[in-house]
Amino acid sequence: MTDMIANYELVRQIHTVLVLHFMEGLKQSEIASRLNLSTSKVNRLIAQGRKMGMVKIDIQSVFQDLVDHENALVDATSLSNAVITPTVSGNPDTTLQQVGRAAANLLAQTVRNGDVIAITGGKAISAVVDNLSVEMSMDVTVVPLTGGVQGKYFTDVNHLATQMAEKLGGKAMLVHAPLFAESTSQRDMLRQVSSVREVFDLARKANVALVGVGSIDAPGSSYYDLNPVPEADRKMLVDMGVVGEFLAHLIHDNGSIANYALNNRLVALNPSELAECGRVIGVATGQEKARPIKATLAGDYLDTIVLDEETALSVLNKQEKSSYVA
């Protein structure tokens, strides 16, 4: 404090510069012109003010609760980042689109020219593609992480990869093989077909992997869109300790792959192979996804997750929910 009093004029000058820069939004060159200083002098005064503790930045958001939940989720898990959107009560489709829009924006901010993007199918990834928009075309390659299932637009991962590539201005390389082979030997043969092997080799080392997280709770389970399962078998899966689906593999609470025959016939990357990808972004919505999400986190499969608030609170084992005006 004694030093500050002795240098009152300097401190006052620093204060003036800080107010003009941080509160009035003037550029350093504009401040220099107004105060008849050099730009380098203004830069030094700002740096000096920061060092003296004269700058305290407090950024608040109307969605501060969501930011707090994001931080709590990162602190409680191995995630490096989380993005949480508001939940639209009673309207899961709108909530899904909001989560898809947030994930699309994150993807657009993340990818760079020359990147490979690997994706799964699913309703969440379809919502990402629906909401994807970039200002400039990007030289990217989009590839599937799994074989495809014909029938519904969101189960056809080749269709989603093609759409994503078109929206980004890049190209898609497709897997011309079914998701489920008829036998383990046929699966091995399909994976060794040069066109399939080439795509999976790219997917395995993708710069960004965008993946859904599936529930086995009927109705509405995306896994049963991929593979219709009789009611008796669904009960058997629960009795086996299966809690969710990831890259079409049925998984346990700890993220390990279930000893289920169909897992051995999948034409898809194994979840553990995602470890070679640069960044793995999970996208999910719906409280029925909470337990599958926890399983993927226990398996350390994800770096980032995008989800809605109610789902996030279920993952965090919290009940409170914020109220936002639409």
Side-chain angles (χ1 to χ4, degrees):
M1 180 62 72
T2 302
D3 289 342
M4 283 192 179
I5 293 173
N7 295 287
Y8 171 72
E9 289 301 328
L10 173 60
V11 173
R12 188 171 69 170
Q13 187 178 44
I14 293 173
H15 180 268
T16 301
V17 169
L18 295 176
V19 169
L20 291 173
H21 185 55
F22 290 104
M23 299 185 69
E24 297 188 19
L26 271 63
K27 298 177 182 177
Q28 293 184 22
S29 59
E30 293 171 329
I31 298 171
S33 178
R34 179 179 294 193
L35 300 181
N36 198 25
L37 299 170
S38 67
T39 303
S40 59
K41 173 71 171 179
V42 171
N43 183 275
R44 287 197 301 273
L45 291 173
I46 292 173
Q48 201 168 349
R50 286 179 179 276
K51 189 175 182 180
M52 294 167 65
M54 295 175 66
V55 179
K56 297 186 184 298
I57 299 175
D58 183 20
I59 301 173
Q60 292 292 324
S61 167
V62 292
F63 297 114
Q64 188 61 42
D65 285 345
L66 298 183
V67 175
D68 292 342
H69 297 330
E70 290 171 354
N71 292 334
L73 196 52
V74 170
D75 290 343
T77 65
S78 60
L79 290 168
S80 60
N81 188 31
V83 177
I84 299 175
T85 72
T87 301
V88 182
S89 297
N91 199 328
D93 290 337
T94 302
T95 299
L96 175 62
Q97 289 302 313
Q98 284 200 156
V99 169
R101 191 174 304 114
N105 290 338
L106 178 63
L107 181 66
Q109 295 166 12
T110 301
V111 294
R112 298 290 184 268
N113 282 321
D115 278 358
V116 173
I117 305 168
I119 69 169
T120 65
K123 295 176 184 176
I125 304 306
S126 179
V128 177
V129 174
D130 287 345
N131 288 281
L132 188 58
S133 177
V134 292
E135 293 184 3
M136 296 179 293
S137 294
M138 305 188 73
D139 178 20
V140 296
T141 302
V142 184
V143 297
L145 285 158
T146 73
V149 175
Q150 299 295 319
K152 297 184 178 180
Y153 65 93
F154 56 82
T155 64
D156 187 349
V157 68
N158 282 334
H159 174 67
L160 293 179
T162 301
Q163 280 193 315
M164 177 176 285
E166 288 177 353
K167 288 199 169 187
L168 291 172
K171 65 178 181 179
M173 294 181 64
L174 309 180
V175 172
H176 297 293
L179 175 59
F180 297 103
E182 294 180 3
S183 64
T184 302
S185 60
Q186 187 187 71
R187 177 207 64 185
D188 294 341
M189 181 271 292
L190 287 170
R191 288 187 59 140
Q192 287 306 311
V193 172
S194 59
S195 61
V196 175
R197 186 175 68 247
E198 182 182 2
V199 173
F200 281 165
D201 284 346
L202 283 173
R204 193 175 290 108
K205 296 184 178 180
N207 302 91
V208 181
L210 192 71
V211 297
V213 179
S215 166
I216 62 162
D217 289 338
S221 167
S222 57
Y223 183 75
Y224 302 130
D225 289 317
L226 300 175
N227 174 48
V229 174
E231 184 63 35
D233 286 3
R234 297 181 186 186
K235 184 178 184 302
M236 178 193 70
L237 293 177
V238 174
D239 292 342
M240 288 172 57
V242 172
V243 300
E245 168 263 318
F246 190 67
L247 268 63
H249 292 75
L250 296 176
I251 59 174
H252 296 299
D253 273 316
N254 63 0
S256 63
I257 296 173
N259 185 23
Y260 181 56
L262 207 55
N263 280 343
N264 297 320
R265 294 197 275 119
L266 286 170
V267 182
L269 259 63
N270 187 292
S272 63
E273 294 181 279
L274 291 178
E276 296 188 54
C277 295
R279 185 176 188 183
V280 183
I281 303 173
V283 187
T285 179
Q287 292 189 64
E288 73 279 1
K289 299 289 184 73
R291 196 171 177 188
I293 290 168
K294 289 181 182 180
T296 63
L297 296 177
D300 201 20
Y301 297 134
L302 304 176
D303 304 307
T304 298
I305 195 163
V306 186
L307 67 174
D308 66 287
E309 185 182 17
E310 282 190 351
T311 306
L313 290 175
S314 295
V315 173
L316 289 166
N317 295 318
K318 295 182 179 180
Q319 300 302 317
E320 72 270 15
K321 178 179 179 294
S322 305
S323 297
Y324 302 109
V325 178

